[in-house]
Amino acid sequence: MKAILYIGHGTRSKKGAEEAKAFIKRVIERIDIPIQEISFLELTEPLMEEGFRRCVERGATEITVVPLFLLAAGHIKQDIPLILSGLQERYPEIQVTVKESFGVQGMILDAVADLVRETAGYLVPEDRLLIVGRGSSDPEILGDFSKIAGGIRNRLGIERVSVCYLAAAEPRLLDGFETITIGAVGRVIVVPYLLFTGLLLAEVSQEVRKRQRLGCEILHTGTLSSHRVIEEIIIEKVKNLNTY
């Protein structure tokens, strides 16, 4: 029997964990597979090993792993494969298939453009956009964000689109905010390139409020999972799975 194991990043934020679980439950309700389990890579229960075990105990013989990660950084390339390798040694009879991260795709860039318009309303070329990524030492991620910035710039017609990172890459958050706000004559719209609420989003929100108190006309869109397209992408990943 086939099963789906969803893997989120995990967070120390109780609100963020509940938001992620609620999102996955909405997806589960839309997929006609009887065995579906929620799990997280770190910080939030149940962890991957527990989610995998639950699938097996419910009768799964084939498990499709669906990582809920926007881009293919170290977690996708190293951490998840390492954990799955150990699980496959423990359960050699289980066939495991792993789906890719979401990657840079037009549907997501369209969704980001939608969120910006919903947040800011009518845009003018003088408005500026700051995309805030989680950050990674993987150079492929930096290349992905360059593509993301270019794609969103083309969709919105904004002349100035910048990227900064919360960790592991430059420019960091404060430098990104400083650069995008200096000399701004229009509004600054901040796009946290994150799926769910958590401590990282709180850090972005805090900086936005700080700049607002200083008189800067600055807004932020919230997380990407607020747009229904993320659900649709997951549905597309698993739509060809049959129950048996």
Side-chain angles (χ1 to χ4, degrees):
M1 185 178 289
K2 297 189 177 183
I4 301 175
L5 177 63
Y6 302 93
I7 303 174
H9 185 282
T11 175
R12 292 185 177 87
S13 164
K14 182 177 179 180
K15 179 181 178 182
E18 291 305 316
E19 180 182 300
K21 290 177 181 178
F23 172 86
I24 299 171
K25 287 176 182 176
R26 291 198 302 273
V27 171
I28 288 173
E29 289 174 355
R30 299 181 60 194
I31 297 174
D32 187 22
I33 298 289
I35 304 175
Q36 299 185 68
E37 290 289 344
I38 298 170
S39 70
F40 297 90
L41 183 62
E42 58 185 6
L43 303 174
T44 302
E45 299 286 345
L47 296 176
M48 271 183 65
E49 295 88 344
E50 175 63 15
F52 195 100
R53 183 185 64 79
R54 291 179 183 179
C55 287
V56 174
E57 288 181 348
R58 293 176 63 187
T61 56
E62 300 177 34
I63 298 176
T64 297
V65 175
V66 180
L68 303 181
F69 289 76
L70 289 166
L71 300 172
H75 290 318
I76 294 291
K77 295 179 179 179
Q78 301 168 15
D79 299 335
I80 291 176
L82 181 62
I83 294 171
L84 287 176
S85 176
L87 288 166
Q88 289 188 283
E89 288 182 7
R90 195 182 315 168
Y91 303 100
E93 73 282 6
I94 304 298
Q95 179 181 327
V96 178
T97 302
V98 184
K99 296 294 184 179
E100 297 179 347
S101 62
F102 297 157
V104 181
Q105 53 177 294
M107 287 176 66
I108 293 181
L109 299 186
D110 290 342
V112 172
D114 287 345
L115 290 174
V116 171
R117 295 188 188 99
E118 290 170 6
T119 301
Y122 182 75
L123 298 166
V124 297
E126 293 75 23
D127 290 331
R128 298 181 178 185
L129 196 72
L130 178 64
I131 302 168
V132 183
R134 182 181 294 271
S136 171
S137 58
D138 188 336
E140 186 177 335
I141 296 299
L142 305 186
D144 285 344
F145 271 105
S146 178
K147 296 175 186 175
I148 290 165
I152 295 172
R153 181 186 299 111
N154 292 339
R155 283 163 171 78
L156 294 176
I158 292 178
E159 296 173 356
R160 181 81 173 270
V161 178
S162 299
V163 179
C164 67
Y165 303 94
L166 288 155
E170 299 291 338
R172 298 293 283 271
L173 182 68
L174 295 183
D175 289 337
F177 268 89
E178 195 66 26
T179 300
I180 201 72
T181 54
I182 289 177
V185 295
R187 296 167 300 171
V188 174
I189 303 102
V190 179
V191 179
Y193 208 79
L194 306 166
L195 273 180
F196 304 114
T197 298
L199 298 184
L200 295 180
L201 182 66
E203 189 175 347
V204 176
S205 300
Q206 181 179 12
E207 189 61 28
V208 167
R209 290 192 296 269
K210 174 184 172 183
R211 302 279 170 168
Q212 289 172 336
R213 288 194 295 268
L214 294 173
C216 182
E217 192 173 1
I218 184 167
L219 311 165
H220 89 73
T221 62
T223 57
L224 271 58
S225 64
S226 62
H227 197 292
R228 190 171 177 82
V229 74
I230 303 299
E231 288 186 35
E232 301 302 329
I233 290 172
I234 298 172
I235 301 297
E236 184 68 23
K237 284 178 180 290
V238 300
K239 72 176 184 179
N240 293 324
L241 292 178
N242 296 315
T243 303
Y244 300 101

